[in-house]
């Protein structure tokens, strides 16, 4: 027993010594790399890299890389790749830190501050097929400002524009334009990728197509997006922005599905759910004008769950009269509550950046940097009524702590070769529970209650076999990831083996774990 105990103690000591020795040599090893950028080891920078918008997980890296060029990123990853499986170092690309569950964090590893990457500079190309070349660390809001100088703009957006290109393209990038143009990953012409071996590869549908499609929606598992060529279209001047309310879910979904199937109806279509929220129309009045002020002032929800349809029609100043007629015609075919028609007219930039206005208000009240236990689901059209009846009727009791979005998209606008997993049906809905938790609260607005509520929603979907897929997915075990990908799992694993065989990249997704050996 003494010899056995001594042997275990001896082996443990050797392993600990080797690991500690390895860790102690890593900073000097990285610092020896000839980079244009630099590494940061100070506690403030490391703490910042260990936070994100979800504000629930904190995994501290060993070091943060601030790259000046793509070669800085490639050299760092290649260095870690050459260290082999004896190194525990992993690498996470961090954009604007808007992940929800620590996906852009790397415990004891290297976090790459992608916003430091400014090479190559943004370049807009005009012509019959306009596009813009941008860094993977560029914010979409900056792309919008630059392309508008040429009266051009990307075709597909997220609701919030202060996100990086690499971040949204690693997931999908979905908003109210997705029914027409598809998600952002359907509007990319070319990518530059740094793989898990430190190789810099240019790829497109025609060139290195397997890597191109792997990385799009690939959750950062196969490479870091360092440059993207984004398709553009002619930008409008103004937007007709409309909100109407429904009390009947069937009419609400029927109108949404009709609109996304029409060729020239609206340019943006979203919806959201309203449960136990009083005074809603009064909250809209500073920004939206009711079509019939008298009827709107007399509107009473009678405690019903309401469904808001949000629409936008883009136009140039020369088209104002024609657009007014088109909007009136399309609205005449919808079955909303007549007294709840609210309209406004804003410029295109203000419409697209509308969420930032809310951010500024929340920051001023100290309500932005709170936990955000969000849940995003893709739900087949055939199951949306069953889902709504149970979730909006029983599990969800109010929507005062954040919006609940619900709107359909067309599967035909999604490329099945990418890594994103979506339902099988031709039309499926995005349902997003975008809740904010009140710190230290033990009530229905507290973190634990919201997490429990999300769990009940997910468990119901699984129990009822609705064919739901999570968007921005988060799982704790590889078995859960296998179930998420379903028949696509083996292809996903094979792609990982080809492009990141040591599982260096994106450890925060918790899909693959780097195997460490001691020599």
């Amino acid at each position: 027993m003494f010899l056995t105990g001594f042997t275990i103690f001896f082996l443990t000591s050797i392993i600990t010594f080797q690991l500690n020795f390895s860790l102690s040599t890593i900073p000097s090893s990285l610092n020896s790399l000839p980079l244009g950028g630099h590494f940061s080891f100070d506690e403030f920078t490391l703490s910042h890299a260990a936070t994100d918008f979800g504000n629930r997980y904190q995994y501290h890296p060993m070091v943060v890389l601030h790259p000046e060029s793509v070669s800085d990123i490639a050299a760092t990853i290649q260095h870690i790749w050459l260290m082999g499986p004896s190194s525990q170092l992993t690498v996470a690309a961090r954009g604007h830190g808007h992940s929800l569950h620590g996906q852009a964090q790397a415990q004891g590893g290297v976090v790459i501050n992608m916003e430091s990457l400014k090479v190559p500079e943004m370049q807009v190309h005009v012509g019959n097929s306009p596009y813009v070349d941008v860094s993977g660390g560029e914010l979409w809001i900056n792309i919008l400002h630059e392309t508008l100088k040429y009266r051009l703009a990307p075709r597909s957006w997220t609701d919030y524009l202060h996100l990086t290109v690499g971040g949204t393209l690693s997931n999908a990038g979905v908003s109210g334009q997705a029914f027409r143009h598809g998600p952002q990953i359907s509007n990319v012409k070319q990518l530059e990728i740094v793989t898990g071996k430190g190789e810099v590869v240019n790829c497109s549908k025609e060139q290195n197509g397997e890597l191109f499609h792997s990385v799009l929606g690939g959750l950062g598992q196969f490479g870091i997006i360092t440059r993207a060529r984004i398709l553009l279209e002619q930008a409008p001047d103004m937007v007709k922005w409309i909100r109407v309310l429904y009390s009947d879910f069937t009419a609400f979904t029927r109108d949404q599905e009709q609109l996304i199937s029409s060729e020239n109806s609206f340019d943006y279509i979203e919806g959201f759910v309203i449960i136990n929220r009083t005074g809603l129309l009064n909250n809209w009045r500073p920004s939206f004008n009711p079509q019939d002020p008298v009827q709107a002032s007399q509107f009473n929800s009678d405690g019903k769950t309401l469904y808001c349809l949000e629409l936008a029609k883009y136009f140039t100043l020369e088209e104002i009269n024609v657009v007014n007629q088109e909007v009136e015609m399309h609205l005449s075919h919808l079955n909303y509550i007549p007294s709840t028609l609210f309209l406004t007219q804003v410029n295109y930039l203000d419409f697209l950046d509308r969420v930032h206005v809310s951010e500024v208000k929340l920051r001023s009240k100290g309500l932005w940097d709170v936990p955000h236990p969000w849940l995003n689901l893709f739900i087949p059209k055939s199951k949306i009524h069953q889902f709504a009846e149970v979730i909006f009727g029983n599990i969800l009791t109010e929507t005062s702590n954040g919006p609940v979005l619900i709107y359909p998209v067309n599967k035909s606008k999604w490329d099945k070769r990418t890594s994103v997993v979506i339902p099988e049906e031709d039309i499926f809905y995005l349902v997003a529970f975008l809740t904010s938790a009140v710190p230290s609260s033990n009530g229905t607005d507290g973190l634990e209650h919201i997490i429990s509520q999300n769990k009940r929603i997910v468990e119901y979907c699984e129990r009822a076999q609705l064919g739901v897929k999570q968007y921005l997915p988060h799982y704790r075990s590889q078995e859960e990831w296998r179930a998420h990908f379903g028949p696509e799992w083996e292809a996903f694993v094979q792609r990982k083996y080809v492009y990141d065989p040591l599982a260096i990249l994106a450890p925060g997704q918790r899909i693959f774990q780097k195997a460490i050996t001691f020599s």
Side-chain angles (χ1 to χ4, degrees):
M1 290 178 64
F2 171 77
L3 288 176
T4 301
F6 178 78
T7 302
I8 293 173
F9 172 78
F10 178 75
L11 289 175
T12 303
S13 300
I14 290 295
I15 291 172
T16 303
F17 171 78
Q18 288 180 331
L19 184 58
N20 288 338
F21 178 77
S22 174
L23 292 176
S24 66
T25 61
I26 286 171
S28 60
S29 170
L30 291 175
N31 274 330
S32 67
L33 295 175
L35 305 179
H38 66 280
F39 289 106
S40 291
F41 298 90
D42 64 278
E43 185 57 35
F44 177 81
T45 303
L46 300 184
S47 295
H48 179 69
T51 60
D52 61 18
F53 181 70
N55 208 5
R56 294 173 56 199
Y57 298 87
Q58 288 195 335
Y59 299 102
H60 284 252
M62 174 178 289
V63 61
V64 174
L65 170 64
H66 305 274
E68 182 182 82
S69 66
V70 174
S71 61
D72 287 354
I73 297 174
T76 301
I77 295 177
Q78 186 180 58
H79 179 77
I80 296 172
W81 159 255
L82 292 174
M83 293 172 74
S86 62
S87 164
Q88 70 165 1
L89 279 183
T90 55
V91 177
R94 185 183 194 274
H96 206 52
H98 208 76
S99 56
L100 298 171
H101 302 97
Q103 289 96 331
Q105 299 174 23
Q107 177 73 41
V110 179
V111 169
I112 300 177
N113 176 16
M114 295 300 294
E115 290 187 284
S116 293
L117 183 65
K118 299 302 180 185
V119 177
E121 293 184 357
M122 200 185 316
Q123 292 186 338
V124 178
H125 297 260
V126 299
N128 293 331
S129 301
Y131 61 87
V132 58
D133 283 328
V134 298
S135 159
E138 192 63 78
L139 295 178
W140 285 98
I141 183 63
N142 296 338
I143 298 172
L144 178 60
H145 281 295
E146 184 64 23
T147 55
L148 283 178
K149 296 176 183 177
Y150 303 85
R151 296 183 65 84
L152 296 167
R155 304 189 295 191
S156 188
W157 297 96
T158 51
D159 286 332
Y160 180 63
L161 304 189
H162 296 252
L163 307 171
T164 57
V165 168
T168 65
L169 295 186
S170 294
N171 289 282
V174 186
S175 184
Q177 304 87 4
F179 77 95
R180 174 162 295 160
H181 297 295
Q184 290 182 319
I185 57 173
S186 294
N187 294 274
V188 183
K189 193 170 184 178
Q190 192 180 92
L191 295 172
E192 179 185 71
I193 305 297
V194 179
T195 70
K197 301 176 184 179
E199 300 168 336
V200 181
V201 183
N202 287 303
C203 56
S204 63
K205 291 182 180 179
E206 299 78 23
Q207 176 189 15
N208 299 310
E210 183 69 18
L211 177 59
F212 178 77
H213 292 109
S214 298
V215 169
L216 293 173
L219 306 175
Q221 293 302 304
F222 313 111
I224 294 175
I225 298 172
T226 51
R227 183 180 60 81
R229 179 166 291 179
I230 309 296
L231 297 173
L232 303 176
E233 66 178 359
Q234 292 297 312
D237 299 313
M238 302 293 292
V239 175
K240 286 279 185 185
W241 188 6
I242 300 157
R243 285 178 178 171
V244 292
L245 290 178
Y246 294 73
S247 59
D248 181 75
F249 187 73
T250 299
F252 171 68
T253 54
R254 184 173 58 239
D255 281 357
Q256 280 192 315
E257 290 164 16
Q258 173 193 318
L259 289 172
I260 71 164
S261 301
S262 302
E263 194 64 34
N264 298 307
S265 58
F266 291 91
D267 299 290
Y268 160 99
I269 298 170
E270 287 195 11
F272 53 92
V273 185
I274 303 157
I275 303 175
N276 284 342
R277 286 178 63 186
T278 58
L280 184 75
L281 299 188
N282 288 330
N283 292 337
W284 287 356
R285 288 175 190 273
S287 303
F288 289 82
N289 298 315
Q291 185 76 355
D292 188 335
V294 175
Q295 288 294 317
S297 64
Q298 296 173 351
F299 174 77
N300 192 322
S301 68
D302 296 322
K304 296 177 182 177
T305 295
L306 299 174
Y307 308 94
C308 174
L309 178 58
E310 187 171 45
L311 307 166
K313 184 74 172 176
Y314 306 157
F315 63 96
T316 60
L317 295 176
E318 297 79 20
E319 300 171 321
I320 179 65
N321 292 327
V322 173
V323 165
N324 283 336
Q325 294 174 7
E326 289 180 351
V327 167
E328 187 173 341
M329 183 269 293
H330 289 303
L331 289 175
S332 69
H333 296 151
L334 303 181
N335 295 289
Y336 58 88
I337 302 170
S339 60
T340 64
L341 174 56
F342 278 67
L343 303 94
T344 190
Q345 188 169 299
V346 296
N347 70 54
Y348 183 60
L349 173 61
D350 288 344
F351 173 73
L352 290 180
D353 199 30
R354 61 197 180 280
V355 177
H356 184 58
V357 176
S358 300
E359 176 189 354
V360 172
K361 292 179 181 177
L362 290 171
R363 283 191 183 279
S364 68
K365 298 177 181 179
L367 297 175
W368 182 257
D369 296 320
V370 298
H372 295 97
W374 287 6
L375 176 64
N376 297 269
L377 305 173
F378 289 143
I379 301 173
K381 169 189 167 182
S382 65
K383 303 296 184 180
I384 194 64
H385 288 269
Q386 182 181 346
F387 175 88
E389 183 178 359
V390 174
I391 305 305
F392 304 146
N394 298 313
I395 296 179
L396 197 67
T397 57
E398 60 180 333
T399 55
S400 58
N401 293 316
V404 176
L405 305 182
I406 175 169
Y407 57 90
V409 294
N410 294 309
K411 184 184 178 183
S412 62
K413 304 298 183 179
W414 296 61
D415 191 328
K416 64 181 181 181
R417 293 170 292 182
T418 67
S419 294
V420 176
V421 182
I422 57 177
E424 291 297 321
E425 296 183 9
D426 292 339
I427 293 177
F428 59 92
Y429 279 77
L430 171 70
V431 180
F433 301 88
L434 309 183
T435 315
S436 298
V438 176
S440 304
S441 172
N442 295 318
T444 58
D445 55 0
L447 180 61
E448 293 306 315
H449 175 84
I450 297 168
I451 291 174
S452 175
Q453 186 172 265
N454 288 348
K455 184 179 179 182
R456 289 176 63 196
I457 293 171
V458 171
E459 287 177 346
Y460 167 72
C461 292
E462 293 174 349
R463 189 168 62 251
Q465 298 182 331
L466 300 186
V468 170
K469 293 296 182 182
Q470 281 196 38
Y471 175 55
L472 309 178
H474 168 66
Y475 300 105
R476 294 185 177 275
S477 70
Q478 196 170 88
E479 289 73 24
E480 291 175 309
W481 280 109
R482 184 189 294 270
H484 170 77
F485 284 102
E488 306 301 323
W489 171 249
E490 295 305 325
F492 195 84
V493 172
Q494 180 60 28
R495 287 172 165 180
K496 185 70 170 179
Y497 178 77
V498 172
Y499 301 117
D500 182 26
L502 291 184
I504 291 172
L505 301 176
Q509 295 284 3
R510 300 180 186 85
I511 305 175
F512 302 99
Q513 185 172 0
K514 187 176 183 181
I516 304 172
T517 61
F518 299 97
S519 56

